[in-house]
Amino acid sequence: MRNVGAYFRSWFGRFEAVAYRRPDPWLWVPAAALLALGLLMVLNTTYFLGQEKTGDAFHFFKLHLLHIAAGFAVLMALSQFSLAGLRRLVMPVLIVAVVLLILTSIPGLGVVRGGARRWLRLGPVLAEPSEMVKFAVVFFLADFLAKRQDSMASFKHGPLPVFIIVGLIALVVLKQPDFGTTVMLALILFAMLFAAGASGKHLGGAGGFALGIFVLQAVARPYRMRRLTAFLDPWHSARGAGFQLTQSFIALGEGGGWGTGLGAGRQKMFYLPQAHTDFVFAVVVEEFGMIGALVVFALFCTILFRGMRIAHEEPDPFASLLAVGLTAMISLQALVNMAVVIGLVPTKGLPLPLLSYGGTSMVMAMAALGALLALSRRPAVR
């Protein structure tokens, strides 16, 4: 593995000869704990599902192991990159992500599930390009904003071009439709603009405009209106649009303080839809109780604080903004997912990073972690 690391450092970082530190354990230890818990929960929540759908109770668990293995390979590769190497990824990653996103609209390539054309069939692999788009947008914004920090006071030359470029990408994502990823792109964009020094007045005005668009999109589609109505009063439509949220509440209530015990939860047995993906946190709470919920929250908060510390201590504007974006990509999505499960925000269709079952989402979450680890290895500022 050391030879592989030397290869990546020589190829992607040959213009930056520095003595690297070891990867930050406060990043990889919480992530490893979340991955280990995720393995338990995927096995736990997909045992009966795999048996019913494929005849193999371990079908989804084995796929999850494969996804983690692929993600780990990407993580290890990216963690060896120098800052120069990470910079070189900006345009290739963005171009590939946008091209794959556009290809989902082509019949025969794009795969429709649940009325949404979000997936792309690449041989035996089923990929979700919108997950890669989040990762690519973070790299693009870090590079774009780092070069324009002196122009951030001007809306025309600072935030406006970014809003236009990311807005166009978000429109393609929204057309799939993928409302959850669109919201995440907006959150990442505002977080990175704030870190880049954009005016609060500009961000507030743009935020109000974006909120208006989201509201219009919510009321324009009947299924989104049903989700919003169910969010406001899930028990009124407990057998309809509010079914998933009420089942999540039942899981939370069953968990109590200490939980029912690993494997003893009942909601995963075809009561709670998407128990292995978007609502895996509800099963965690049911089986591990409030204590388990607090542990998961603390692990994500540790990643958040360490990522922000890297961003704060990093003297290079690109590296600092990249750390902000990668941290936001992981931690903000985790916070939104948990907020959905406990009924604080409407359902978004977002997986819980590092914990939920998923192919592209797992690989890209681990890719973001790998890039963060690469930044954490840079020499300390003295």
Side-chain angles (χ1 to χ4, degrees):
M1 205 68 206
R2 189 173 297 173
N3 292 334
V4 174
Y7 170 78
F8 277 106
R9 282 196 294 275
S10 65
W11 180 253
F12 291 99
R14 57 184 182 273
F15 300 120
E16 187 178 348
V18 293
Y20 281 87
R21 296 179 289 175
R22 290 186 177 183
D24 186 354
W26 289 100
L27 275 176
W28 68 261
V29 170
L34 288 166
L35 284 170
L37 178 60
L39 276 172
L40 281 175
M41 299 316 296
V42 168
L43 176 60
N44 189 15
T45 55
T46 62
Y47 184 87
F48 298 105
L49 182 67
Q51 205 165 37
E52 185 197 20
K53 287 189 174 294
T54 69
D56 179 4
F58 299 100
H59 173 78
F60 293 104
F61 178 70
K62 287 184 282 191
L63 283 178
H64 191 63
L65 283 174
L66 188 62
H67 299 153
I68 290 178
F72 186 72
V74 174
L75 180 150
M76 289 301 295
L78 283 174
S79 69
Q80 301 298 321
F81 276 43
S82 69
L83 185 59
L86 292 174
R87 261 200 195 96
R88 290 192 196 94
L89 289 177
V90 173
M91 290 314 296
V93 170
L94 182 65
I95 291 170
V96 170
V98 172
V99 168
L100 291 178
L101 184 67
I102 293 171
L103 288 178
T104 59
S105 62
I106 299 177
L109 289 176
V111 177
V112 180
R113 287 185 172 182
R117 190 183 287 273
R118 301 178 192 171
W119 295 269
L120 189 65
R121 177 70 67 182
L122 300 172
V125 177
L126 191 64
E128 191 174 1
S130 60
E131 291 289 341
M132 188 177 181
V133 164
K134 287 186 291 189
F135 183 75
V137 164
V138 167
F139 271 78
F140 166 73
L141 287 174
D143 183 62
F144 191 93
L145 295 174
K147 294 174 180 176
R148 289 163 176 77
Q149 284 197 307
D150 295 335
S151 306
M152 294 309 294
S154 166
F155 183 75
K156 181 179 178 181
H157 299 99
L160 182 59
V162 176
F163 283 127
I164 293 173
I165 296 169
V166 178
L168 290 173
I169 296 173
L171 283 175
V172 178
V173 174
L174 191 61
K175 191 176 181 343
Q176 292 184 334
D178 190 345
F179 193 68
T181 299
T182 306
V183 170
M184 279 307 305
L185 286 173
L187 291 176
I188 291 169
L189 171 59
F190 278 88
M192 295 185 71
L193 280 171
F194 178 78
S199 164
K201 178 178 64 177
H202 296 157
L203 291 179
F209 179 74
L211 184 61
I213 291 177
F214 285 141
V215 170
L216 287 175
Q217 285 294 319
V219 300
R221 296 290 182 95
Y223 77 92
R224 288 183 188 147
M225 267 310 290
R226 286 195 296 271
R227 280 186 180 181
L228 183 59
T229 305
F231 161 70
L232 295 173
D233 186 8
W235 298 104
H236 180 71
S237 54
R239 294 183 179 274
F243 180 79
Q244 189 172 36
L245 191 53
T246 55
Q247 294 303 312
S248 178
F249 288 164
I250 291 170
L252 301 178
E254 288 288 328
W258 297 96
T260 59
L262 179 62
R266 292 179 295 180
Q267 291 304 106
K268 66 195 177 193
M269 298 177 186
F270 307 108
Y271 292 104
L272 176 63
Q274 306 301 323
H276 60 305
T277 54
D278 302 350
F279 278 75
V280 70
F281 184 64
V283 183
V284 171
V285 179
E286 182 183 14
E287 301 193 353
F288 294 101
M290 184 59 67
I291 297 299
L294 291 175
V295 168
V296 171
F297 182 74
L299 290 172
F300 279 114
C301 283
T302 303
I303 293 173
L304 170 63
F305 292 140
R306 295 306 287 190
M308 289 299 104
R309 181 174 178 178
I310 293 169
H312 177 71
E313 293 180 349
E314 179 58 63
D316 185 273
F318 169 76
S320 180
L321 288 168
L322 184 60
V324 169
L326 293 170
T327 305
M329 178 180 161
I330 297 172
S331 55
L332 285 183
Q333 180 161 325
L335 292 174
V336 170
N337 175 279
M338 289 185 279
V340 166
V341 168
I342 64 178
L344 290 181
V345 296
T347 305
K348 294 286 185 296
L350 290 170
L352 185 57
L354 305 174
L355 258 170
S356 293
Y357 173 86
T360 317
S361 60
M362 176 61 73
V363 172
M364 298 321 300
M366 294 184 74
L369 184 65
L372 261 180
L373 288 171
L375 295 175
S376 78
R377 294 175 61 247
R378 281 172 45 78
V381 180
R382 292 183 174 85

